Every structure is written in C-alpha cells, then in structure tokens.
Amino acid sequence: MRFPISDASPIRFPGPPPAACDVVVLGGGVIGVMTAWFLAEKGLKVTLCEKGRIAGEQSSRNWGWIRQQGRDMGELPIMMESLRIWKSLAQEMGEGLGFRQEGVLYLAKTEAEVERFEAWLDEARPHGVDTHMMGSGAVTERLKGSAKPWVAGLHTPSDARAEPWQAVPLLVEGAIARGAVVVENCAIRRLDVQAGRVAGVFTEAGRIACDQVVVAGGAWSALFLRAHGVHIPQLAVLASVAATEPMAEIFPGNACDDDFAFRRRQDGGYSIAPGSGHDFFVGPDAFRDFFTYLPVLKKDFRSTGFRPMAPAGFPDAWGTRRRWGGDEVSPFEGIRVLNPAPNMDRIARVQAAFAEAFPGMGRPRLRAAWGGMIDTMPDVVPVVDRVAALPGLTIATGMSGHGFGIGPGMGRVVADLVAGGDPGHDLTRFRLSRFTDGSRLIPGPSL
Ligand SMILES: Cc1cc2nc3c(=O)[nH]c(=O)nc-3n(C[C@H](O)[C@H](O)[C@H](O)COP(=O)(O)OP(=O)(O)OC[C@H]3O[C@@H](n4cnc5c(N)ncnc54)[C@H](O)[C@@H]3O)c2cc1C
C-alpha cells in the first residue's frame, strides 16, 4: 500500500481562488478545514488555500486517536466539545469518517507511571471525564492474549478514533457544502499588509483581498509568520507510523505504553507506532529556541533521536530561505506534501514489542510505513490567538501532536475568535504573548 495522499494525488479543488473574500484560511489540515467549516456556517465568505493536498500532511498521517485522556487542562473543555462535534459529524457524514467510540487505554509498566496517571485523573475529574484507573488483572482481561505484566491502566471509555486519511478529505466537503471555497496546490506566499493591518494575501495564483487571515499551516506556520516579524518557537519532530495487515481483534479501542501504541483500523489492520520515541532534525530554529525548549527536552531527551540536519526544503532545513517577496516562488511551493521517510528501526522495535506483548499474534506484517512532521511548542500546547501587533491575523497552530481529535472543537473556537464572538472557553493558556511576557512555560502533561 502506498500512503494514500501524496503530491501525486489528483488535485480535487483546482480553483482559481476568488479576488476577494472575508477570511482566508492558510492550510488544509483538520484545523484549517474545520475553521473554514464554522466560518462558512456563520455566513462569512471564506477561502481556504492549501499548498499541496487537503490533509496531505499531519492530518492524514496521524494515529487517528480522538482522546480526552492525558490532555492539558486548558485543552480538555475544548476537547470535550470536540468529541460532541465529532459525534454530530459522524451523523452527518456517515461511516466514511471511521468514527468509533471504543475508548483509549494507557498502560503503565511502573509505579511512577501509575502516579502520573492518577495525578492527571485527579485534575481531570472535576471536568466530568469518564476516565478511571484499571488494575493489572482488569488490564490483562481487557487485552486479549496479552503477556506483558502491566501494573495498571488509565481508561476513558468515551474516547474515540477516526480514519484520518478518509476523515479530513470528507470533512472538507462539509465545509464546501456550507459555502467555503477551497483551493489546492495554491501556496500563500505572503500577507499583504497595508497601513499596519492585513489587507489580503499573495498566493501563487494571485492576490486575494481580505480583512482576516487564519494561519493554520502546521509545521510551516513558524516559517510563514517569521517572514512577517511574528515569532513563535515552533519546531517539528519526525514521528513514524506503520499499518499492519488485518489481524485478530485484541482490543477495539486505542492503547499504548511507552514502547508501542496501536489502534485498530476500519480495514481490520492496526496502525502501530512507537509509544514515545521520535526523531528531531536540528536546524536554525532549534538553535534559536534551544533555551525555550530546555524543560521539555529534559523530560523527553531519552526518547528523542537527534539528527544534524533536515532534508532539503523542510521548514527548518539549513538551506530553507527565510525571506521572499509576494511575487517570488516561496519555500511552500518547494514541498507540496511534506512526506518524511519513517524511521524503520523504530518501527522494527514496535513490531518486536507488539509480538512480545501478544505472543499469540506473532510479529505484525506491515502494509505500509510513513512519517509525519509533528509541529510542537515548548509547552506542548498550541498557539490560538489574534496577533495584537498585526490586526487581521489569527494564529491556530502548534497542536503539538494532538490536534486531530481536538480539530473540530478548535475549528469552532477559532471561527468565533475571528468573527469577534465569544470562543466559549478560556484561551489564556494558548496566548501568543506567553513567549514574551516573562511567563514561565509549563509543559502540558504529554501523557
Ligand atoms: C505520526 C503522527 C501521529 C499523530 N497522532 C495523533 C492522534 O492520534 N491524535 C491527535 O489528536 N493528533 C495526532 N497527531 C497530531 C495531529 O495530526 C496534528 O496535530 C493535526 O493534524 C494538525 O493539524 P493542522 O491542520 O494544524 O496541520 P496539518 O495537518 O499539518 O496541516 C497544515 C497544512 O497547511 C499547509 N500549508 C502550510 N503552509 C502553507 C502555505 N504557505 N500556503 C498554503 N498551505 C500551507 C500544509 O501543506 C498542510 O497541509 C499526530 C501527528 C502525527 C504526525
């Protein structure tokens, strides 16, 4: 199986973009698509520009987990709303989303992990989550054929999953049905700033006049914003995933420990991945933001593989241009779909860990393996804010490896933020100024 979305995929929405609209959304991942959906529902004229293909990057490459469990307390209320939205989306869009509410289970190997799970649950309980701890016996009973001596589990029965590479390309049809204009293969090169505020965007297919722009560019957002003097300390890490051949059901939901994670897909196979390991390409932004990342780096150092440079053209590659004009070809046109090679050593270790935990299943045979660049922030929570210094610009990025599940809820929030309505949640944790106002950055739980 080839990964289903690539720069060889047909262009479904060729444009051309309109000359003017109310709001332009940069990026056709789950955040951009759902923001466009809710903006259009409000009756605003919205144009979404995607440099490659809808959901070509993180939004198709992820594990497909829709989880409240382990969330930062700032995100949890939005995630709970998001789950409600997912349910209504499943009713409207049908089976194609692959939405199933069959739970998330985190597996603890040590007492220290149990304490972390319990600490999270103590904080989350007042929000009304249905999460509970499971003892070792209950875990073994739940996971058919398991041979690993897990000491406990953290389980949220109402957590869910969907099929990423089907879901987001389907959701964009809902946004279009509500009136959004979507243009693929159309990079936004620069903002058109006039008299100190947003007056439009320069795309590779011409200018679009607009008063408001939402930057939901995933791993490319920092590069785009910095070209306009807006700095966010966002970096990208490589996460590797594989799809197995169909196998017997051992657990209908999603489960992981820090060695491996698995989630049953609609086709009967599993999406498997390292539970915590990832790779990081060092580039100029990493040097610039090194000290901002120290707290999270101390936590994650052992699970990160460092490489001296990103492949050419990646957002933080050494040779990637940082300055360009609205009439010049931009770095966003250089790579239409960011498609990093997966780390096959990590995937082989996951296959071994899976086989050891479920000896009756044998070593999983792979249909495909792929990589995705996760856009992360030093406190592992996103930036969702209007840019005070540049009226008309809103940022919704840095979902830090958990933006798929929260996407619909976040899209609703961002649409209200742009339209000047009440976002309905406290967004202080996601403010842009936290990197400059002297606040101490507190990393989210990243459980
Ligand atoms: C391997 C992996 C596993 C994950 N597992 C989960 C999970 O189980 N659950 C979960 O909730 N989250 C998970 N995530 C995270 C989740 O996938 C992301 O947080 C989410 O998809 C981010 O969506 P986005 O719209 O912000 O970014 P993206 O999906 O990356 O979309 C951004 C889009 O912007 C486009 N773009 C960039 N610059 C421009 C420009 N200048 N002009 C036009 N277009 C532009 C890009 O081409 C891209 O398509 C995982 C991520 C990875 C990589």
Side-chain angles (χ1 to χ4, degrees), residues 26-32 49-67 71 186-189 216-221 224 239-241 332 336-337 370-375 396-406:
L26 178 155
V30 67
I31 301 297
C49 295
E50 164 53 54
K51 69 176 171 58
R53 303 293 183 277
I54 292 295
E57 299 195 346
Q58 294 175 86
S59 293
S60 58
R61 292 161 186 271
N62 64 70
W63 298 356
W65 294 32
I66 298 172
R67 62 174 175 86
R71 290 263 166 193
C186 182
I188 297 180
R189 292 171 168 170
W220 302 87
S221 298
F224 183 87
S240 304
V241 193
F332 313 110
R336 295 284 170 188
V337 176
W370 63 90
M373 297 304 291
I374 291 183
D375 64 325
T397 199
M399 298 293 143
S400 302
H402 40 266
F404 177 68
I406 207 170

Side-chain angles (χ1 to χ4, degrees), residues 358-408:
F358 300 100
M361 304 276 283
R363 188 181 172 88
R365 288 216 310 270
L366 303 185
R367 266 193 181 169
W370 63 90
M373 297 304 291
I374 291 183
D375 64 325
T376 193
M377 302 304 299
D379 43 8
V380 211
V381 290
V383 179
V384 181
D385 204 353
R386 300 180 72 110
V387 179
L390 190 37
L393 179 61
T394 300
I395 302 176
T397 199
M399 298 293 143
S400 302
H402 40 266
F404 177 68
I406 207 170

